[in-house]
Amino acid sequence: MSAAATPSLLVSLSAELSDLVGRVAPSLVAVRSSRSRASGFAWQADLIITAEEALADDGEISVDLPGGSTAAATIVGRDPSTDVALLRVEADLRPVTLSAPAVAAGGLVVAVGSVQSQPLPALGTVALAGPAWRSLRGGSIDARIELGLTLRREAEGGLVVDAHGHAFGMVVFGPRRRVLVIPTGTIERVAAKLRIDGRIVRGYLGLGLQPIRLPDGGAGVMIMSVAADGPGAAAGLLQGDVITGWNGKSVESLRAVQQDLGPDSIGRTVALSLRRAGADLQVQLTVAERPTP
């Protein structure tokens, strides 16, 4: 490559990246709540997708729209397990077209958020592209996509765009500040349910649990409380029992139990191995739907 050709390639790349950002910018908003600042994008003309983790539990929410105006927003629904929240605004936004292209490690991507009604882009690569997985809170995510880029906090909840201009998910922070993508399939599935029901149903044991280490070096979760009308009480579980097995598998952490309480767990019967006052027991428990708060 000649020295003379290098500047033209860089200029061309710069122009292409600016064009990608410009195409999605009319669909992006900045989201303000009492706890933080984040981004979001128009899923429908009056509905916005944003990162659930970035929203305060209460208080007012507003969004800075692409044209510079501000509008109040209300929460339609939120799902902590997939980090998807749905907001409604009295506005006529330009919905983004979400795609589900093949994603491969090494591909160039741009994560685009919004701050003060202006796009907030970050250039990087796909660091990891893997199969479906469950979040720490038990949510089913359609693909494991990690990005290699530096993301400003205000950009969380924004769009991820590939080199072809396809918006294929929402950018969020994962454990240890990893930058993750909630892909299109997950967003569409969860947002559709939130629009109708306002929440994603979760499995419920009716138990307060605490992870512990056993004297023999193993692990389990101790039952600290039992809801009187919950599935645990119906199965005869008692405060002080230690759950050591779940459907034949050792219980290594509380997280492992929580990850098995997704929407598809409701109505399922689980075989629990217990340790009670030094004795080992086997109990059958039927998972119920978590009550509405």
Side-chain angles (χ1 to χ4, degrees):
M1 180 182 296
S2 68
T6 302
S8 64
L9 290 176
L10 293 176
V11 169
S12 177
L13 175 61
S14 178
E16 289 290 336
L17 292 173
S18 294
D19 181 63
L20 290 180
V21 173
R23 277 186 255 168
V24 298
S27 300
L28 291 164
V29 300
V31 180
R32 301 169 177 263
S33 67
S34 60
R35 191 172 70 182
S36 66
R37 302 291 182 267
S39 295
F41 56 90
W43 183 57
Q44 295 184 12
D46 61 343
L47 294 173
I48 292 168
I49 299 289
T50 188
E52 192 278 338
E53 187 179 39
L55 291 177
D57 293 331
D58 51 27
E60 297 181 350
I61 300 173
S62 64
V63 296
D64 295 337
L65 303 176
S69 61
T70 299
T74 57
I75 297 176
V76 176
R78 55 197 302 172
D79 177 33
S81 71
T82 58
D83 206 3
V84 175
L86 187 63
L87 308 178
R88 187 182 301 278
V89 293
E90 294 295 330
D92 187 16
L93 301 173
R94 182 190 298 181
V96 70
T97 299
L98 291 173
S99 303
V103 177
L108 281 176
V109 295
V110 183
V112 192
S114 178
V115 61
Q116 297 179 350
S117 299
Q118 298 297 319
L120 183 62
L123 176 64
T125 61
V126 176
L128 175 67
W133 61 290
R134 284 199 179 273
S135 71
L136 297 181
R137 295 184 174 182
S140 177
I141 314 296
D142 290 53
R144 177 84 184 194
I145 304 173
E146 296 185 17
L147 303 183
L149 53 78
T150 300
L151 187 72
R152 284 177 53 175
R153 173 58 70 180
E154 302 97 316
E156 183 178 22
L159 287 166
V160 185
V161 184
D162 69 9
H164 297 284
H166 300 136
F168 64 92
M170 175 175 64
V171 63
V172 300
F173 288 110
R176 295 181 292 278
R177 297 283 290 183
R178 289 194 179 104
V179 181
L180 306 178
V181 178
I182 306 301
T184 291
T186 305
I187 291 171
E188 296 286 6
R189 168 170 48 84
V190 173
K193 292 182 179 178
L194 292 178
R195 184 183 181 189
I196 296 171
D197 300 324
R199 67 189 185 105
I200 302 297
V201 296
R202 298 276 299 152
Y204 175 64
L205 303 178
L207 302 173
L209 301 174
Q210 176 69 40
I212 64 166
R213 283 288 170 186
L214 301 175
D216 60 7
V221 291
M222 178 177 284
I223 298 175
M224 308 302 291
S225 62
V226 182
D229 56 351
L237 300 181
L238 303 176
Q239 185 177 357
D241 287 348
V242 177
I243 301 174
T244 59
W246 180 283
N247 279 339
K249 296 182 180 179
S250 298
V251 175
E252 299 296 332
S253 66
L254 179 58
R255 180 190 307 168
V257 175
Q258 294 171 331
Q259 288 181 327
D260 273 342
L261 294 176
D264 56 352
S265 70
I266 298 169
R268 182 184 301 166
T269 298
V270 180
L272 300 181
S273 299
L274 301 180
R275 189 163 297 177
R276 177 183 293 170
D280 292 327
L281 304 173
Q282 298 293 320
V283 172
Q284 301 288 316
L285 180 151
T286 300
V287 179
E289 181 179 328
R290 180 174 295 279
T292 303

